[in-house]
Every structure is written in structure tokens, then in C-alpha cells.
Amino acid sequence: MIPERQSVPVLDVDVTPVRVNELMNALGGLIAGGTTATVLGHNLHSITLFHSRDDVRALYREASIILPDGAPVAILWGLSHRPQRIGAEAMAYRLGSMDWIPELGRVPGLQRVAIVGAGRQANTTAVARLRSIIPAAAVEGMPGEGWDASLEEAVVQWLIAFRPQLVLLGLGMPLQENVLHRRLNDLPPSVYCTVGGAVEQVAGVQKLAPRWLGRLGLEWAWRLALHPGRVAYRVFVEPWKLAALLLRRHLRPSLTEGK
């Protein structure tokens, strides 16, 4: 059974607050259902996209599970729903991809897994790692580097032939969300999980921040130190862009009423 979504104040989004064991059971339930489902994560980047892109917003509104992936999201959710224990209690519900992917061996009934994304070597290594995590499952992969229309169609046809129960889609935001939005009806029934750069993290290509930093809400500092060119915009510019989007959203009804 999947818990109901709960609102995140200020950010104007909903999330599905679950702990790792609850998520594993929920994935098992979705797999047993045999229909198409999506598991997404919300951080400040995805929320900016949610408020600025129709395709991302539509995908999130139809998602089966939306994990609080990012300290600000978890903290703001906690302020509304766990005010007595805002610190540790709220952050316990913050689930990044690498908090739950290593636990996939606990998902009941999981027999076929597909990994889509990253370069060929990283994808191959991630497949091998996941096979050790889920020894009873068939795990296969397709690289996502150089994504274009031809590769997209090849991946769709491969997934149709393989018919996985769970797909880890690691193409980065917003490409992975755009692909799911456009092609979900063409894909075979499965649980599709957007995992961003986690394929490289599973493979060990991208160094994972110490989990204690994540619990303190400082994982962004680790990423900024390792990949300043990739992360600086998200850390120093995007929060202001999101603030402007949210302000415009809240002012719009007042402006309309004033006319």
C-alpha cells in the first residue's frame, strides 16, 4: 500500500513520505499489480522544472510515488507534518536514489530489472553491481550516452522485448522526465524510476557524498567541490529562479482579482 501524498508548503508540490522499508514494500506492490507506474524524486532542481515546464509538471502530477530527494524539500515537509521532531524525523524521509537502490534485493517478487543511462562502461559496471544486490533477478542495461531519437527508439524496443518489472532511468533532468512523458504509453508495463546520475554512482564512477553530509543537508557542498561547473548554477542561481517562479505563482491570483 502506497501512503498518500502530502503537501510541501512554500514549494507548492506534493511528496510521498516513506522510509526505505516502506518504499521496498510499495515497489513490490506496484510490481505485483503489473501495470505502469512511475517513481520520481523532488529536489529544488525538479521543483524549478515542475513550475517552469509543462511536460515535467504533467509527469509529476500522474506519478505513483514522489520521494523527497533533497534536504530543503524534506525540511519544509517536516515543518508542516512533523513539527515536533523537525530535524531527524523529517530527514529520515529524505530518500535520494542511492538511499534505496542498494536495498532493491528486499523488493518482493523482483525478477527483471533494466538500467538505462550513463556511458557503456559505467552502465556495464552498474549492471554487475545490481546483479550482486539482487542475485535472484535478471539485470540488463542499455547506455544512454549520446541520447538521440535513434537511441531512444532502440531503448524503447529493447524494453519491449525484455519486459522488465523495474526500470532505473538515469538520463539526468530534465531529459529522463521528458522521455517518460513522451514515451510512457509506448513502453511495456513496468515501474519506471528516474534516478539521475545514480547509475554512475552505483558503478563507482561518480563519488558519492558521505551519508552523514546528506543527513545534515550539505550534500550540495560535496557536489559543488567535486563538480563546480556542473553544480554551481543549481546552487547559486537556480534557487533564485525558483523563488521568482513561486512568487509569480502566488501573486497571479491577486493580480487577476485586481483587474
Coordinates of all heavy atoms in Angstrom, one line a residue, residues 140-203:
E140 N 19.7 -6.3 -16.8 CA 20.3 -5.9 -18.0 C 20.4 -4.4 -18.2 O 19.6 -3.7 -17.5 CB 19.5 -6.5 -19.2 CG 19.4 -8.0 -19.2 CD 20.7 -8.8 -19.4 OE1 21.7 -8.1 -19.9 OE2 20.8 -9.9 -19.0
G141 N 21.2 -3.9 -19.1 CA 21.4 -2.5 -19.2 C 21.6 -2.0 -20.6 O 21.9 -2.8 -21.5
M142 N 21.3 -0.7 -20.8 CA 21.5 0.0 -22.1 C 22.1 1.3 -21.7 O 21.5 2.1 -21.0 CB 20.2 0.2 -22.8 CG 19.7 -1.1 -23.6 SD 20.6 -1.3 -25.2 CE 19.7 -0.1 -26.2
P143 N 23.2 1.7 -22.3 CA 23.8 3.0 -22.1 C 22.9 4.1 -22.6 O 22.1 3.9 -23.5 CB 25.2 3.0 -22.8 CG 25.4 1.5 -23.1 CD 24.1 0.9 -23.2
G144 N 23.1 5.3 -22.0 CA 22.3 6.5 -22.5 C 23.1 7.6 -23.0 O 22.5 8.6 -23.4
E145 N 24.4 7.4 -23.1 CA 25.3 8.5 -23.6 C 25.0 8.8 -25.0 O 24.8 7.9 -25.8 CB 26.7 8.1 -23.4 CG 27.7 9.2 -23.5 CD 29.1 8.8 -23.1 OE1 29.5 7.7 -23.5 OE2 29.8 9.5 -22.4
G146 N 25.0 10.1 -25.4 CA 24.7 10.5 -26.8 C 23.2 10.2 -27.1 O 22.9 9.9 -28.3
W147 N 22.4 10.4 -26.2 CA 20.9 10.2 -26.4 C 20.4 11.0 -27.6 O 20.6 12.2 -27.7 CB 20.2 10.5 -25.2 CG 18.7 10.0 -25.2 CD1 17.6 10.7 -25.6 CD2 18.3 8.8 -24.7 NE1 16.5 9.9 -25.5 CE2 16.9 8.8 -24.9 CE3 18.9 7.7 -24.1 CZ2 16.1 7.7 -24.5 CZ3 18.1 6.6 -23.8 CH2 16.7 6.6 -24.0
D148 N 19.7 10.3 -28.5 CA 19.1 11.0 -29.6 C 17.8 10.2 -30.0 O 17.5 9.2 -29.3 CB 20.0 11.2 -30.8 CG 20.6 9.8 -31.4 OD1 20.1 8.8 -31.0 OD2 21.6 9.9 -32.1
A149 N 17.1 10.5 -31.1 CA 15.9 9.9 -31.4 C 16.1 8.4 -31.8 O 15.3 7.5 -31.4 CB 15.2 10.6 -32.6
S150 N 17.3 8.1 -32.4 CA 17.6 6.7 -32.8 C 17.8 5.9 -31.6 O 17.3 4.7 -31.5 CB 18.8 6.7 -33.7 OG 19.2 5.4 -34.1
L151 N 18.6 6.4 -30.7 CA 18.9 5.6 -29.4 C 17.6 5.4 -28.6 O 17.4 4.4 -28.0 CB 20.0 6.3 -28.6 CG 20.4 5.6 -27.3 CD1 20.8 4.2 -27.5 CD2 21.5 6.4 -26.6
E152 N 16.9 6.5 -28.5 CA 15.6 6.4 -27.8 C 14.7 5.3 -28.3 O 14.2 4.5 -27.5 CB 14.9 7.7 -27.9 CG 13.5 7.8 -27.1 CD 12.9 9.1 -27.1 OE1 13.6 10.1 -26.6 OE2 11.8 9.3 -27.6
E153 N 14.6 5.2 -29.6 CA 13.7 4.2 -30.2 C 14.3 2.8 -30.0 O 13.6 1.8 -29.7 CB 13.6 4.4 -31.7 CG 12.6 3.4 -32.4 CD 11.2 3.5 -31.8 OE1 10.8 4.6 -31.4 OE2 10.5 2.5 -31.8
A154 N 15.6 2.7 -30.0 CA 16.3 1.4 -29.7 C 16.0 1.0 -28.3 O 15.8 -0.2 -28.0 CB 17.8 1.5 -30.0
V155 N 16.1 1.9 -27.4 CA 15.8 1.6 -25.9 C 14.4 1.2 -25.7 O 14.1 0.2 -25.0 CB 16.2 2.8 -25.0 CG1 15.7 2.6 -23.6 CG2 17.7 3.0 -25.0
V156 N 13.5 1.9 -26.4 CA 12.0 1.5 -26.3 C 11.8 0.1 -26.8 O 11.2 -0.7 -26.1 CB 11.2 2.5 -27.1 CG1 9.7 2.0 -27.2 CG2 11.2 3.9 -26.4
Q157 N 12.4 -0.3 -27.9 CA 12.2 -1.6 -28.5 C 12.9 -2.7 -27.6 O 12.4 -3.8 -27.4 CB 12.7 -1.7 -29.9 CG 12.0 -0.8 -30.9 CD 10.5 -1.1 -30.9 OE1 10.1 -2.2 -30.9 NE2 9.7 0.0 -30.9
W158 N 14.0 -2.3 -27.0 CA 14.7 -3.2 -26.1 C 13.9 -3.5 -24.9 O 13.8 -4.7 -24.4 CB 16.1 -2.7 -25.8 CG 16.8 -3.4 -24.7 CD1 17.4 -4.7 -24.9 CD2 17.1 -3.0 -23.4 NE1 18.0 -5.0 -23.7 CE2 17.8 -4.1 -22.7 CE3 16.7 -1.9 -22.6 CZ2 18.2 -4.0 -21.4 CZ3 17.1 -1.8 -21.3 CH2 17.9 -2.9 -20.7
L159 N 13.3 -2.5 -24.3 CA 12.5 -2.6 -23.1 C 11.2 -3.5 -23.4 O 10.8 -4.3 -22.6 CB 12.1 -1.3 -22.6 CG 13.2 -0.5 -21.9 CD1 12.7 0.9 -21.6 CD2 13.7 -1.2 -20.6
I160 N 10.7 -3.3 -24.6 CA 9.5 -4.1 -25.0 C 9.9 -5.5 -25.1 O 9.1 -6.4 -24.6 CB 8.9 -3.6 -26.4 CG1 8.3 -2.2 -26.2 CG2 7.9 -4.5 -26.9 CD1 7.9 -1.5 -27.5
A161 N 11.1 -5.8 -25.6 CA 11.5 -7.2 -25.7 C 11.9 -7.8 -24.4 O 11.5 -9.0 -24.1 CB 12.7 -7.3 -26.7
F162 N 12.5 -7.0 -23.5 CA 13.0 -7.5 -22.2 C 11.8 -7.6 -21.2 O 11.8 -8.5 -20.3 CB 14.1 -6.6 -21.7 CG 14.7 -7.1 -20.4 CD1 14.9 -8.4 -20.1 CD2 15.1 -6.1 -19.5 CE1 15.5 -8.8 -18.9 CE2 15.7 -6.5 -18.3 CZ 15.8 -7.8 -17.9
R163 N 10.9 -6.7 -21.3 CA 9.8 -6.6 -20.3 C 10.2 -6.6 -18.9 O 9.8 -7.5 -18.1 CB 8.8 -7.7 -20.6 CG 8.2 -7.7 -22.0 CD 7.0 -8.6 -22.2 NE 5.8 -8.1 -21.4 CZ 5.0 -7.1 -21.8 NH1 5.2 -6.5 -23.0 NH2 4.0 -6.7 -21.0
P164 N 11.0 -5.7 -18.5 CA 11.4 -5.6 -17.1 C 10.3 -5.2 -16.1 O 9.3 -4.6 -16.6 CB 12.5 -4.5 -17.1 CG 12.1 -3.6 -18.2 CD 11.5 -4.5 -19.2
Q165 N 10.4 -5.6 -14.9 CA 9.4 -5.2 -13.9 C 9.8 -3.8 -13.3 O 8.9 -3.1 -12.8 CB 9.4 -6.2 -12.8 CG 8.9 -7.6 -13.2 CD 9.2 -8.6 -12.2 OE1 10.4 -8.9 -11.8 NE2 8.2 -9.3 -11.6
L166 N 11.1 -3.5 -13.3 CA 11.6 -2.3 -12.7 C 12.6 -1.7 -13.7 O 13.5 -2.4 -14.1 CB 12.2 -2.6 -11.4 CG 12.7 -1.3 -10.6 CD1 11.6 -0.5 -10.0 CD2 13.7 -1.8 -9.5
V167 N 12.5 -0.4 -14.0 CA 13.5 0.3 -14.8 C 14.1 1.5 -14.1 O 13.3 2.3 -13.6 CB 12.8 0.8 -16.1 CG1 13.8 1.6 -17.0 CG2 12.2 -0.3 -16.9
L168 N 15.4 1.5 -14.0 CA 16.1 2.6 -13.4 C 16.5 3.5 -14.6 O 17.4 3.1 -15.4 CB 17.3 2.2 -12.6 CG 17.1 1.2 -11.5 CD1 18.4 0.9 -10.7 CD2 16.0 1.8 -10.5
L169 N 15.9 4.7 -14.7 CA 16.2 5.5 -15.9 C 17.1 6.7 -15.4 O 16.6 7.6 -14.7 CB 14.8 6.1 -16.4 CG 14.9 6.9 -17.7 CD1 15.4 6.1 -18.8 CD2 13.5 7.4 -18.0
G170 N 18.3 6.6 -15.8 CA 19.3 7.6 -15.4 C 19.9 8.5 -16.5 O 21.0 8.3 -16.9
L171 N 19.0 9.4 -17.0 CA 19.4 10.2 -18.1 C 19.7 11.7 -17.7 O 20.0 12.5 -18.5 CB 18.4 10.2 -19.2 CG 18.1 8.8 -19.8 CD1 16.9 8.9 -20.8 CD2 19.3 8.2 -20.5
G172 N 19.5 11.9 -16.4 CA 19.6 13.3 -15.9 C 18.3 14.1 -16.2 O 17.6 13.8 -17.1
M173 N 18.1 15.1 -15.4 CA 17.0 16.0 -15.5 C 17.3 17.1 -16.5 O 18.4 17.7 -16.5 CB 16.7 16.7 -14.2 CG 16.0 15.8 -13.2 SD 15.6 16.8 -11.7 CE 14.9 15.5 -10.7
P174 N 16.4 17.5 -17.4 CA 15.0 17.0 -17.5 C 14.8 16.0 -18.6 O 13.7 15.7 -18.9 CB 14.2 18.3 -17.8 CG 15.2 19.1 -18.7 CD 16.6 18.8 -18.1
L175 N 15.9 15.5 -19.2 CA 15.8 14.5 -20.3 C 15.0 13.3 -19.9 O 14.1 12.9 -20.6 CB 17.2 14.1 -20.8 CG 17.2 13.1 -21.9 CD1 16.4 13.5 -23.1 CD2 18.6 12.7 -22.3
Q176 N 15.3 12.7 -18.7 CA 14.6 11.5 -18.3 C 13.1 11.7 -18.1 O 12.3 10.9 -18.5 CB 15.3 10.9 -17.1 CG 15.2 11.8 -15.8 CD 16.2 11.4 -14.7 OE1 17.0 10.5 -14.9 NE2 16.0 12.0 -13.6
E177 N 12.8 12.9 -17.5 CA 11.4 13.2 -17.3 C 10.7 13.4 -18.7 O 9.5 13.0 -18.9 CB 11.2 14.4 -16.5 CG 11.6 14.2 -15.0 CD 13.0 14.1 -14.7 OE1 13.8 14.6 -15.6 OE2 13.4 13.6 -13.6
N178 N 11.3 14.1 -19.6 CA 10.8 14.4 -20.9 C 10.5 13.1 -21.7 O 9.5 12.9 -22.3 CB 11.7 15.3 -21.7 CG 11.1 15.6 -23.1 OD1 11.6 15.0 -24.1 ND2 10.2 16.5 -23.2
V179 N 11.5 12.2 -21.6 CA 11.4 10.9 -22.3 C 10.2 10.1 -21.7 O 9.3 9.6 -22.5 CB 12.7 10.0 -22.2 CG1 12.4 8.6 -22.6 CG2 13.8 10.7 -23.0
L180 N 10.0 10.0 -20.4 CA 8.9 9.3 -19.8 C 7.6 10.0 -20.2 O 6.6 9.3 -20.5 CB 9.1 9.3 -18.3 CG 9.9 8.2 -17.7 CD1 9.8 8.2 -16.2 CD2 9.5 6.8 -18.2
H181 N 7.6 11.3 -20.2 CA 6.3 12.0 -20.5 C 5.9 11.7 -21.9 O 4.7 11.4 -22.2 CB 6.5 13.5 -20.4 CG 5.4 14.3 -20.8 ND1 4.2 14.3 -20.2 CD2 5.2 15.1 -21.9 CE1 3.3 15.1 -20.8 NE2 3.9 15.6 -21.9
R182 N 6.8 11.6 -22.9 CA 6.5 11.4 -24.3 C 6.3 9.9 -24.6 O 5.4 9.6 -25.5 CB 7.6 11.9 -25.2 CG 7.8 13.4 -25.2 CD 8.8 13.9 -26.2 NE 10.2 13.5 -25.8 CZ 10.8 12.5 -26.3 NH1 10.3 11.7 -27.3 NH2 12.1 12.3 -25.9
R183 N 7.0 9.0 -24.0 CA 7.0 7.6 -24.4 C 6.4 6.6 -23.5 O 6.4 5.4 -23.8 CB 8.5 7.2 -24.7 CG 9.2 8.0 -25.7 CD 8.6 8.2 -27.0 NE 8.4 6.9 -27.7 CZ 9.2 6.4 -28.6 NH1 10.3 7.0 -28.9 NH2 8.9 5.2 -29.2
L184 N 5.8 7.1 -22.4 CA 5.3 6.2 -21.4 C 4.2 5.2 -22.0 O 4.2 4.0 -21.6 CB 4.7 6.9 -20.2 CG 4.6 6.1 -18.9 CD1 5.9 5.6 -18.4 CD2 4.0 7.0 -17.8
N185 N 3.4 5.7 -22.9 CA 2.4 4.9 -23.5 C 2.9 3.9 -24.5 O 2.3 2.9 -24.8 CB 1.3 5.7 -24.2 CG 0.5 6.5 -23.2 OD1 0.3 6.1 -22.0 ND2 -0.1 7.7 -23.6
D186 N 4.2 4.1 -24.9 CA 4.8 3.2 -25.9 C 5.6 2.1 -25.1 O 6.0 1.1 -25.7 CB 5.8 3.9 -26.8 CG 5.1 5.0 -27.6 OD1 3.9 4.9 -27.9 OD2 5.8 6.1 -27.8
L187 N 5.9 2.3 -23.9 CA 6.7 1.4 -23.1 C 5.9 0.3 -22.5 O 4.7 0.4 -22.2 CB 7.4 2.2 -22.0 CG 8.5 3.2 -22.5 CD1 8.9 4.1 -21.4 CD2 9.7 2.5 -23.1
P188 N 6.5 -0.9 -22.2 CA 5.8 -2.0 -21.6 C 5.5 -1.7 -20.1 O 6.1 -0.9 -19.5 CB 6.8 -3.2 -21.7 CG 8.2 -2.5 -21.7 CD 8.0 -1.2 -22.5
P189 N 4.5 -2.3 -19.6 CA 4.1 -2.1 -18.2 C 5.3 -2.4 -17.3 O 6.0 -3.5 -17.4 CB 3.0 -3.1 -17.9 CG 2.4 -3.4 -19.3 CD 3.6 -3.3 -20.2
S190 N 5.7 -1.5 -16.4 CA 6.8 -1.6 -15.5 C 6.7 -0.5 -14.5 O 5.9 0.4 -14.6 CB 8.1 -1.6 -16.3 OG 9.2 -1.8 -15.4
V191 N 7.6 -0.6 -13.5 CA 7.8 0.6 -12.6 C 9.0 1.3 -13.0 O 10.1 0.8 -13.0 CB 8.0 0.1 -11.1 CG1 8.2 1.2 -10.2 CG2 6.8 -0.8 -10.7
Y192 N 8.8 2.6 -13.5 CA 9.9 3.4 -14.1 C 10.3 4.4 -13.0 O 9.5 5.2 -12.5 CB 9.4 4.1 -15.3 CG 9.1 3.2 -16.4 CD1 7.8 2.6 -16.6 CD2 10.1 2.8 -17.3 CE1 7.6 1.7 -17.6 CE2 9.8 1.9 -18.4 CZ 8.6 1.3 -18.5 OH 8.3 0.4 -19.5
C193 N 11.6 4.3 -12.6 CA 12.2 5.2 -11.6 C 13.2 6.1 -12.2 O 14.2 5.6 -12.8 CB 12.8 4.3 -10.5 SG 11.8 3.0 -9.8
T194 N 13.0 7.4 -12.1 CA 14.0 8.3 -12.5 C 15.1 8.5 -11.5 O 14.8 8.8 -10.3 CB 13.4 9.7 -12.8 OG1 12.7 10.2 -11.7 CG2 12.4 9.6 -14.0
V195 N 16.4 8.2 -11.8 CA 17.5 8.2 -10.9 C 18.6 9.1 -11.2 O 19.6 9.1 -10.5 CB 18.0 6.8 -10.7 CG1 16.9 5.8 -10.2 CG2 18.6 6.2 -12.0
G196 N 18.5 10.0 -12.2 CA 19.5 11.0 -12.5 C 20.9 10.4 -12.7 O 21.1 9.4 -13.5
G197 N 21.9 10.8 -11.9 CA 23.3 10.3 -12.1 C 23.6 9.1 -11.2 O 24.7 8.8 -11.1
A198 N 22.5 8.5 -10.7 CA 22.8 7.4 -9.8 C 23.4 6.2 -10.5 O 24.0 5.3 -9.8 CB 21.5 7.0 -9.1
V199 N 23.2 6.0 -11.8 CA 23.8 4.9 -12.5 C 25.3 5.0 -12.3 O 26.0 4.0 -12.1 CB 23.4 4.9 -14.0 CG1 24.1 3.8 -14.7 CG2 21.9 4.7 -14.1
E200 N 25.9 6.2 -12.5 CA 27.3 6.3 -12.3 C 27.8 6.2 -10.9 O 28.8 5.7 -10.6 CB 27.8 7.7 -12.8 CG 27.7 7.9 -14.3 CD 28.2 9.2 -14.8 OE1 28.4 10.1 -14.0 OE2 28.5 9.3 -16.0
Q201 N 26.9 6.5 -10.0 CA 27.2 6.3 -8.5 C 27.2 4.9 -8.2 O 28.0 4.4 -7.4 CB 26.2 7.1 -7.7 CG 26.4 8.6 -7.8 CD 25.2 9.4 -7.2 OE1 24.2 8.8 -6.7 NE2 25.4 10.7 -7.1
V202 N 26.2 4.1 -8.7 CA 26.2 2.7 -8.5 C 27.5 2.0 -9.0 O 28.1 1.1 -8.4 CB 24.9 2.0 -9.1 CG1 25.0 0.5 -9.1 CG2 23.7 2.5 -8.4
A203 N 27.9 2.5 -10.2 CA 29.1 2.0 -10.8 C 30.4 2.4 -10.1 O 31.5 1.8 -10.4 CB 29.1 2.4 -12.3

